[in-house]
Amino acid sequence: MGMVARPRGTAGARGSVSMRPMRPAKIPLLLLVTLLGAAAHAQSPAPRPLLVTIDDLPISATRLHSDPAERERITRGMLDVLRKHKVPAVAFVTWDRVLSPADVGLLRLWMDAGHELGNHTLHHLNYTRTAPKEYIADAEKARQEIAKLAGAKVRFFRFPFLREGDTEAKLDAMRAYLAESAQKTVPVTLDNQDWSFEEPWVTARRKGDEAAMARVAEEYHESLHLDIRHHEETGDKLFGRPVAQVLLLHGTDVGAAQWDRLFTWLEQRGYRFATADEVLADPALSEPHRYVGTFGPGLWDRLGEQKGTAKALEEVRKLIETQVEAWNRGDLDTFTASYAEDAAFLSPTGLTRGRNEVLERYRKRYPDSKAMGKLRLEPIEMRPAVGTEFTLVGGAKPSRVHGVSVAARWELSYPDKEPASGLTLIVFRRNRDGWEIVQDASM
Ligand SMILES: [Zn+2]
């Protein structure tokens, strides 16, 4: 029985086969195939829950659809597909897109069909460019209107452009407001660019250009498949299991025409349409992210960025420790090995350029262990440099951490004289093998 615990490496696998040679040989091939088939079948995962959310209701591209009859046709088209696939959706209303009593009627159709209305603010403001006070007032006005219409509490909130704050303070301000007003953010995990196909679709349809419509439809599905696969993989990798997902769609004519095909593809992919309560109960979705940025990437990319940043900071912290240890054993070669070949070293006595020159400078100033003393380096703050990358299909996602700047306090202590201390700013850049110091300003 001890064999069970053997490591799964090649040697272990070979070993276990040679230790029980009779077992595979005794099973007839056909039975073995059947058993393997059964095992594969048993392992095929249970359908994974997916919440469908639809933003910018009653109609996303107001400018393209001013005719009330067309707005109703699109709404009924979307609702038909949701009914066909038994999708319980959360429908996020942007209140200034409710243009008339007829539009209020459209929102009633959503509620009558059993979907829940959520708050997508009054003016669809960009939080990156709006102060919290103004943004919160805008969100609160919409919440009151939607609650009045629904005759119920508004439980769910969706950030326009998925922008949740470009500073920690803004992130916290909205979280406090949402908690106070008992609204819950519904994160997006399967972010995509479905809205961008509305204009080409409507243009082609109005021209009666069926070839162009078919082309737009193909691109719509290709683009959504790409995004969905990317986010699925990112989330599953982060949590090591198939996590529940939240799909973002918009109230569009192209959606009314293409969702049937999209939902069929999702069902074949192993998804089961589920309620907000079920999907949000997955712990992966209640993971509080602290992503601060100007754009609004999907939740898994936010969590991935946090993980990547934590790892980068840890690596840099370790490198600093290695340097300090090298200094304290009098090893200046190792101490300066982390400097880039073209590093710039700034000190009150001037500028030194290049790793070798930095090493020379240290050798002159600190000829022996006695002169070097004992070094302590306490990081005061570490700032990762993370930007935004845009995917081929136009999605925004955080870049990897390219650099880390470290503000630190240094202190040299000696057995026979007063310690020396000061501040330093060290800039690390990621290279092929890890990290290197490109700039160091010590004072
Ligand atoms: Zn929106």
Side-chain angles (χ1 to χ4, degrees):
M1 292 315 282
M3 286 187 303
V4 177
R6 284 185 76 95
R8 277 167 159 255
T10 320
R14 205 188 300 126
S16 69
V17 168
S18 67
M19 284 158 90
R20 20 173 209 188
M22 297 312 288
R23 212 169 143 199
K26 268 188 178 169
I27 301 171
L29 187 62
L30 192 66
L31 178 61
L32 187 67
V33 169
T34 314
L35 285 173
L36 286 173
H41 185 75
Q43 276 167 12
S44 82
R48 99 160 78 185
L50 171 67
L51 171 64
V52 173
T53 61
I54 298 146
D55 282 16
D56 300 352
L57 291 186
I59 293 290
S60 183
T62 293
R63 181 176 55 82
L64 291 174
H65 307 288
S66 50
D67 174 19
E70 178 160 293
R71 293 167 79 82
E72 184 174 339
R73 175 186 63 76
I74 294 170
T75 301
R76 290 189 184 276
M78 293 189 284
L79 289 169
D80 282 347
V81 188
L82 294 171
R83 192 175 306 118
K84 180 177 169 189
H85 290 266
K86 301 191 170 61
V87 179
V90 178
F92 287 98
V93 181
T94 308
W95 194 258
D96 76 351
R97 287 178 199 189
V98 181
L99 305 176
S100 64
D103 276 352
V104 174
L106 297 184
L107 295 179
R108 289 224 166 83
L109 291 179
W110 284 90
M111 291 189 288
D112 293 346
H115 306 295
E116 182 161 353
L117 299 187
N119 180 6
H120 198 36
T121 76
L122 175 59
H123 288 117
H124 206 276
L125 297 175
N126 174 353
Y127 196 22
T128 300
R129 300 194 178 281
T130 313
K133 203 176 161 198
E134 186 190 338
Y135 191 86
I136 288 168
D138 188 82
E140 176 55 17
K141 258 184 212 151
R143 185 194 67 81
Q144 288 172 13
E145 294 292 348
I146 297 163
K148 226 185 290 168
L149 171 68
K153 277 200 172 136
V154 179
R155 299 196 296 155
F156 298 125
F157 182 84
R158 166 69 45 79
F159 283 88
F161 312 105
L162 308 183
R163 292 174 190 178
E164 298 190 23
D166 56 324
T167 64
E168 300 257 345
K170 283 167 89 169
L171 198 78
D172 289 332
M174 264 308 282
R175 284 183 185 182
Y177 158 70
L178 291 172
E180 266 163 35
S181 55
Q183 298 175 87
K184 195 173 162 65
T185 299
V186 179
V188 171
T189 66
L190 303 180
D191 186 21
N192 62 80
Q193 306 298 308
D194 72 318
W195 55 270
S196 68
F197 295 89
E198 180 69 343
E199 187 155 1
W201 170 262
V202 170
T203 307
R205 187 176 53 71
R206 286 186 182 153
K207 276 191 203 150
D209 187 342
E210 285 187 16
M213 285 167 77
R215 214 161 42 236
V216 174
E218 283 317 304
E219 284 170 9
Y220 173 94
H221 290 287
E222 266 173 37
S223 155
L224 265 76
H225 294 183
L226 263 179
D227 271 326
I228 289 169
R229 283 200 200 98
H230 159 75
H231 292 297
E232 226 178 58
E233 198 189 317
T234 311
D236 290 0
K237 228 188 250 170
L238 270 173
F239 290 91
R241 65 178 171 89
V243 280
Q245 304 278 2
V246 181
L247 176 66
L248 167 61
L249 294 170
H250 289 79
T252 53
D253 190 30
V254 68
Q258 300 304 324
W259 287 355
D260 188 18
R261 184 173 154 192
L262 176 67
F263 290 169
T264 303
W265 179 78
L266 287 165
E267 286 157 350
Q268 285 164 353
R269 217 174 152 70
Y271 282 105
R272 170 175 62 77
F273 300 110
T275 62
D277 290 310
E278 183 189 342
V279 168
L280 296 178
D282 187 320
L285 279 144
S286 45
E287 185 95 356
H289 78 78
R290 295 293 303 171
Y291 177 77
V292 165
T294 48
F295 289 91
L299 178 64
W300 307 144
D301 284 336
R302 288 168 205 239
L303 295 177
E305 187 263 354
Q306 261 168 235
K307 209 174 155 185
T309 298
K311 188 164 174 271
L313 295 183
E314 190 48 36
E315 286 167 1
V316 166
R317 214 172 276 132
K318 283 224 173 88
L319 187 55
I320 292 174
E321 272 170 31
T322 309
Q323 273 193 294
V324 171
E325 282 163 15
W327 180 280
N328 288 338
R329 61 171 188 267
D331 178 359
L332 277 176
D333 285 294
T334 305
F335 180 79
T336 50
S338 334
Y339 285 84
E341 214 172 314
D342 65 345
F345 183 93
L346 287 70
S347 76
T349 54
L351 169 69
T352 307
R353 198 178 276 286
R355 182 198 301 136
N356 293 334
E357 288 71 13
V358 171
L359 176 59
E360 274 318 300
R361 180 185 177 280
Y362 274 120
R363 279 203 175 126
K364 262 183 218 145
R365 290 175 69 98
Y366 303 96
D368 52 34
S369 286
K370 197 169 167 258
M372 288 174 76
K374 286 278 168 242
L375 174 66
R376 264 164 53 97
L377 200 63
E378 293 286 336
I380 299 163
E381 67 166 26
M382 300 178 78
R383 293 197 185 203
V386 190
T388 306
E389 277 169 13
F390 295 91
T391 63
L392 279 178
V393 287
K397 56 178 251 165
S399 71
R400 71 199 300 227
V401 180
H402 297 292
V404 176
S405 58
V406 180
R409 183 177 301 283
W410 61 267
E411 189 188 87
L412 285 175
S413 53
Y414 304 93
D416 52 355
K417 58 175 180 177
E418 285 299 294
S421 71
L423 295 169
T424 181
L425 181 67
I426 313 169
V427 179
F428 290 83
R429 185 177 59 193
R430 198 192 281 278
N431 66 14
R432 213 176 29 201
D433 312 309
W435 298 90
E436 61 187 7
I437 298 170
V438 288
Q439 290 171 314
D440 178 338
S442 293
M443 57 208 84

